[in-house]
Every structure is written in structure tokens, then in C-alpha cells.
Amino acid sequence: MSTQKLKELFFTLFKWILICLLIGILSGSASAFFLIALEWVTQFRIQHNWIIWLLPLGGLLVGLSYYYWGESVAKGNNLLLEEYENPKKTIPFKMAPLVLLGTLLTHLFGGSAGREGTAVQMGGAIADQFTKFFKLDNSERKILIILGISAGFASVFGTPLAGAIFALEVVYFSKINLKSIFLSFLVAYTAYFTVEFWQVKHTHYSIPEVPEISIYNLFYTIIISIVFGFAALLFSRTTHFWGSLFSKYIKYPPLRPFVGGIFLAIAIAGFGFTKFSGLGVPVIVDSFLTASPWYDFLLKILFTGFTLGAGFKGGEVTPLFFVGAALGSALSLIVPMPVALLAGMGFVAVFSGATHTPIACTIMGIELFGLQPGLFIAIACSVAYFSSGPVGIYKSQIVKGAKYKLYRKLNSNF
């Protein structure tokens, strides 16, 4: 190899390592600020429950901000996936502050939403700004989008391995540059350690008891994993249904979260469904300890689908954790397996089905709960993935492979 080529190789390597470090530090810092701010608004809402009655006002503020300043970034995570598949123009940086503000308003006033979408969109918007600075072409822009997704996911959940794999798997059936794999891991760990540097803590879960691997336990695991897949399907379809309904009957977009906020405020504050506000982390934690009521997962699906469908901002993943953990916990009343194991399996399996990312979800389960329940988690994520239907929470995600062929064959038969 000539000296000139070695210099070019070294420069390329140095450039991408620098990009990863910059994206990781900036996205990790943005996620750290977001997590601190989210905790503050959550505690304020808990201590001042009357603020939920102002949810329509919060919805109007979110709706107006996106209508007048954020129309180009309103698609959120779907915009990232669309730009990856068909790069056209740099994602506007305003996506980051708009989704940050919109999510904080949603949680402050009591909407049911998550946080992954916010972190991923902030990461994607930050990452794509380096397109102009480093004069990158469209194929290199694709790498930036993967890096943004990886950094955002890894930093907001404290799971760098899962974050790196999720970013690759969510775009798996589009062409992936091989160097994206190494860079995705590098940026994920950079973002993760940045959050650690800012001393922001993540919620810890544990599965203290794991039964032996037996025919009966594997049979139960497969059966309940199919149920987890159906829950993921219901979550995705519910969110899309409410979004279509609001778009059909309310033509002026800012009014959608305003009207939706009225119904949510009455349901949450008026009828005492406050545990379904925000992330619902306390309910998730409790589901690992005692059996949840059978209807908790259904109500979380309803409230989250309605909140996001109406136009409020946030993510779907933590509500998916809630749905899966609550469903698994409730199943412990009829399935002879430890409640924490069932909750942990549901935690990641419903997420797997809704996002078509069984590998990332399996890794996430092992990162969160340890290696011992790994086989049960892997089976749960794989079965839920196949039983959750062809449509997930991201409309712009390309779904091919074995799952695509399975449902195409089923459709042709019926």
C-alpha cells in the first residue's frame, strides 16, 4: 500500500472516530439534560396533580410549535428512517429543541408517553449537522443517522450494546455500510459514558429467580410470548388508529392535541388514572415484585396510543416496557413461573414485536437483567417478533426477511 493511501486511510479513520466522539458527547449531554429535566417535570406533576387539568393547554402549545416552526420535522423517528432509506436533505437541527420541549410539556401536564423518541430524534438531528461540516455524501449521511440513533438510544436507557444494535437492526433491510457497525458501537459507548459523567442514573431492574430450563417452562415461554406479540400488535395499531382518526376529523393540526388533552385530562385527573401518566416507571418497578392487575397493560396502550395519536410528543418504548412488564406480571397469576421473570420477558418482548428488533431487545434484556435469564428472553423476543404482525410503531420502517415472507404468504392464502 502506497504512502498516499495510508495517509488517506488514516485521515478517514481519524475523521470518523472524531465524528463518533463529537456525536456521542453532544447526544449524551443532550440526553443527560433531558433525563434531568424529565425527572423534574415528573416530580412537579406528581406533587401538583391539578396541573393535569391544563393538559389541553400543553397540547395546544405543542401543536402550535410544530405547526408554525416544526412542520418539516413533525414525522419524528419516521423522518430519520426515511432519510436513511432515501437521503434528500439534512435533518433540521430544530428537531432537537422542538421534540425536547414537546416531550417535557407532554410529561409536565400528564400525557402518557415515553422518552426514546426524544433522545433518538435529538441524536439524529445533532448527528446530521456534521454532514455539511465534514462535507459528507449521501452514503456517509446514512452512517450519521445510524450514529445518531445509536447515541440517543444508548444514552437514554443506559444500554450501549442494545443501542448500537438497535440502530443497525431498525434499518437492517436497507443497505448498511460495514464500517457503520464498528462506529455504531463506538458512538453508543461514548454517549453512554457521557451520561455517566454527568452522574445521571438509570432505573435498575432485577430478576432474582430464574427457573430451570425444562420442556414445561419452554412451552409456557412460547405461549406467553405469542401473547406479548399480540400486545405489541395492539399497541402499534392503536397508536396508528388514533393518529388517523384525529387527522381525519380535526383538520387544523394544533387543535388535535388540544382536543385530545381535554379527553385525557378528564380521564386521568377526573377518574383517577394518574398512574398511566408519563413514563409509568413506578408501575414497571412494582410489576417485577407483585402481580399487576390484568387491565393495566390495556389501559396503558389506550392512554399512550391516544396521547401520541393526538399529536403530543415523546416516545413509545418506555410505554411498551410498561405494557410488556404489566402483562407479564399479570400472567404470573396463571403461569407457574416467577413474576419478575415474566415481567422481564414482557418488558423486552413487546418492544421487540413493536419495533421488529428481536436481536437488540434480547441484548437489552441481558444488559438489564443479566445473562441467567438470557435463553427465556431470547425466545420471548423472537416469538413476539414473529407474532406481532407486519406493521410496527414506525410506519417508515422497512420490514423484509422471514417475517415479511411469513405474512405475505398468510395474506396470499387468505
Side-chain angles (χ1 to χ4, degrees), residues 247-263:
S247 298
K248 181 178 180 180
Y249 290 104
I250 303 177
K251 299 302 181 183
Y252 184 56
L255 283 181
R256 294 169 193 164
F258 176 77
V259 174
I262 294 173
F263 286 100

Side-chain angles (χ1 to χ4, degrees), residues 12 40 63 131 229 273 276 286 293 409 413:
T12 300
W40 186 88
T131 298
F273 289 119
F276 299 103
D286 289 343
K409 187 174 182 180
N413 289 337

